[in-house]
Amino acid sequence: MGTSGKVIKCRAAVAWKPNAPLVMEEIEVAPPQKHEIRIKVIATGVCHTDLYHLFEGKLQEGFPAVLGHEGAGIVESVGPGVTDFKPGQNFKYLNHVCVSVGDNVIPIVVSQCGECRFCKHPKSNMCEQSWKSLSTGIMPEEDSRFTCRGKVIFQFMGTSTFSEYTVLNQIAVAKICDDARLDRVCLLGCGVATGYGAAINTAQVTQGSVCAVFGLGAVGLAAVMGCRNAGASRIIGVDINEDKFGKARSLGATDLVNPKKHSKPISEVLSEMTNGGVDFSLECVGNVAVMRSALESCVRGWGVSVVVGWTDVDDFSARPIQLIAGKTWKGSLFGGFKGKDAIPKLVLDYKSGRINLDEFVTHTMPLDKVNDSIELMKTGTCIRTVLNVSSK
Ligand SMILES: NC(=O)c1ccc[n+]([C@@H]2O[C@H](COP(=O)([O-])OP(=O)(O)OC[C@H]3O[C@@H](n4cnc5c(N)ncnc54)[C@H](O)[C@@H]3O)[C@@H](O)[C@H]2O)c1
Ligand SMILES: [Zn+2]
Ligand SMILES: [Zn+2]
């Protein structure tokens, strides 16, 4: 019966402690328990939030852990009570598509239990079940199915895709069509869905509007694409790294601004460019000073500014007059998408060409090279690296 019901030994990149390179280890992955699914991870993106937890979050707890939360794979086996997912233990590649009896799936960091107050409310994707692990960055210890060298290894953001196998509750797994490239649609597990949804769901960018996107990494570029698909007439990309400008232009940015090249505050620069401020701004950096600038760049009366960048160590501030004057300041988690419902549709949008994912993948490498991919992200020399996790 193959691997079903057995402990699997496989390769994973383990973060033993903060601020240190990940170490390739053999780990043990327990079989899925009630309502759980064991996934063979095929490919995973590397998101800035992985770095944040490892290097920038000042976190000393939650280690050792397996990071990675932007993955795609196939269902290897299922635990009792799982009826919606089909397992299958072998696959082969055909024109970049993974052919398997097992369902193709994308783990989701923001689960959708379908039962809680937040899942039932049309305005929120903050499922109570996922928020429990998101607030600490890791799953509770008793939910982890990983061990290594006799120690429990935490599952970062409930997903842990820097491993050949991972185990998730079925509420955190989206089933997708059989014929999408997993080394592309994995980006819908976090970065691209986050930025795209922040524009279309949270900001609700309107036809003909003027938008500004701060930070042109994968999240910001996806926000640019969202503004474009929503019909914005002008999209101003803002980044201190001009290497990002080419991709931004090809995904829909009409103007590009480097704040370092101006002696005035960036909000004044944008205000002058747009006759009083933009209709929508999106902060995709994770820097509280930039969040303030993004708010200040909006037009008074109706401007909407969305915080997408991640930080939970610094407070932010703004003059109340900004809001009194009629601006709205809001935030967006995973683009406001309810993952189980939305991801399969986003995969179809990729297949139809409405969403571009290929443009985001600047580097591809095996999981063993994960530390190189982290270096690329730190130095701003990539948009997304896709790690090929399992090749057979
Ligand atoms: N809200 C969510 O659900 C969610 C989900 C995923 C990622 N995030 C967060 O989104 C942010 C972006 O993620 P990413 O993977 O695209 O990161 P990234 O590092 O690839 O991109 C960040 C970009 O911001 C630019 N930048 C840095 N300082 C700047 C400044 N002062 N002004 C303008 N641009 C500046 C960088 O040059 C870079 O291009 C991170 O904070 C990440 O943690 C949030
Ligand atoms: Zn829920
Ligand atoms: Zn992410």
Side-chain angles (χ1 to χ4, degrees):
M1 273 299 289
T3 47
S4 182
K6 298 179 187 156
V7 170
I8 290 180
K9 288 188 178 189
C10 71
R11 306 267 296 153
V14 177
W16 286 104
K17 53 185 183 190
N19 296 313
L22 307 184
V23 183
M24 288 305 298
E25 300 274 8
E26 185 179 82
I27 66 164
E28 297 87 35
V29 182
Q33 298 187 8
K34 201 172 174 195
H35 301 311
E36 291 179 346
I37 297 174
R38 189 160 59 185
I39 297 170
K40 185 177 180 83
V41 180
I42 302 293
T44 180
V46 181
C47 170
H48 201 120
T49 313
D50 294 311
L51 261 69
Y52 175 81
H53 281 265
L54 190 59
F55 299 108
E56 302 161 5
K58 306 183 177 79
L59 286 178
Q60 296 300 319
E61 288 171 16
F63 294 89
V66 173
L67 308 181
H69 60 280
E70 212 174 64
I74 53 175
V75 175
E76 173 269 339
S77 61
V78 300
V82 177
T83 53
D84 294 346
F85 292 85
K86 200 160 35 100
Q89 293 168 11
N90 301 310
F91 74 92
K92 61 179 183 208
Y93 279 116
L94 220 56
N95 295 329
H96 298 290
V97 168
C98 194
V99 182
S100 166
V101 178
D103 283 328
N104 284 2
V105 289
I106 293 183
I108 43 179
V109 284
V110 185
S111 62
Q112 187 184 350
C113 75
E115 304 286 325
C116 75
R117 183 180 172 202
F118 298 91
C119 280
K120 285 185 176 156
H121 200 287
K123 284 192 174 170
S124 177
N125 65 347
M126 301 267 293
C127 176
E128 274 174 358
Q129 299 301 322
S130 64
W131 195 240
K132 275 184 209 158
S133 63
L134 275 182
S135 54
T136 54
I138 47 162
M139 260 187 189
E141 183 171 347
E142 62 275 17
D143 292 342
S144 173
R145 301 287 164 256
F146 294 164
T147 48
C148 179
R149 299 173 190 268
K151 285 204 170 81
V152 171
I153 308 291
F154 289 111
Q155 287 190 237
F156 175 65
M157 286 176 90
T159 42
S160 294
T161 55
F162 294 167
S163 171
E164 288 173 326
Y165 288 87
T166 188
V167 180
L168 281 90
N169 192 294
Q170 61 179 346
I171 64 171
V173 183
K175 181 157 75 176
I176 60 167
C177 62
D178 287 338
D179 57 352
R181 280 188 71 164
L182 298 182
D183 60 351
R184 292 291 179 271
V185 298
C186 60
L187 302 187
L188 294 169
C190 183
V192 174
T194 293
Y196 189 71
I200 62 167
N201 298 327
T202 314
Q204 300 197 338
V205 169
T206 50
Q207 186 82 27
S209 59
V210 176
C211 302
V213 176
F214 290 73
L216 300 170
V219 174
L221 290 173
V224 167
M225 185 165 70
C227 294
R228 182 199 66 192
N229 284 6
S233 61
R234 203 169 167 200
I235 303 166
I236 307 170
V238 181
D239 203 301
I240 52 173
N241 179 351
E242 294 190 16
D243 293 346
K244 309 287 171 122
F245 287 180
K247 294 264 179 204
R249 211 177 275 286
S250 56
L251 288 163
T254 54
D255 303 71
L256 291 152
V257 182
N258 179 353
K260 283 189 169 166
K261 294 251 169 93
H262 294 269
S263 50
K264 290 180 197 165
I266 183 69
S267 57
E268 280 178 35
V269 175
L270 294 192
S271 179
E272 281 169 17
M273 285 171 71
T274 57
N275 190 26
V278 300
D279 301 304
F280 299 96
S281 68
L282 296 113
E283 196 277 358
C284 304
V285 179
N287 173 324
V288 289
V290 181
M291 292 172 190
R292 180 177 187 149
S293 297
L295 176 69
E296 290 171 346
S297 302
C298 284
V299 65
R300 62 176 182 271
W302 60 83
V304 174
S305 187
V306 180
V307 173
V308 191
W310 191 276
T311 177
D312 57 8
V313 287
D314 300 312
D315 291 340
F316 60 9
S317 64
R319 293 272 169 92
I321 189 67
Q322 292 286 326
L323 304 184
I324 295 166
K327 301 183 189 182
T328 304
W329 210 4
K330 35 193 338 199
S332 184
L333 178 72
F334 190 51
F337 283 119
K338 291 181 192 285
K340 265 170 132 35
D341 297 343
I343 287 186
K345 293 182 192 148
L346 291 170
V347 170
L348 298 180
D349 284 346
Y350 166 61
K351 284 179 61 194
S352 74
R354 184 168 167 75
I355 288 182
N356 182 339
L357 297 175
D358 304 339
E359 194 73 41
F360 290 78
V361 182
T362 51
H363 299 76
T364 303
M365 48 185 86
L367 177 62
D368 288 19
K369 299 269 182 232
V370 62
N371 289 311
D372 294 355
S373 72
I374 287 173
E375 235 15 72
L376 289 171
M377 175 65 86
K378 269 195 200 163
T379 51
T381 33
C382 68
I383 299 298
R384 274 294 189 263
T385 300
V386 169
L387 301 172
N388 289 314
V389 180
S390 302
S391 53
K392 55 179 172 37

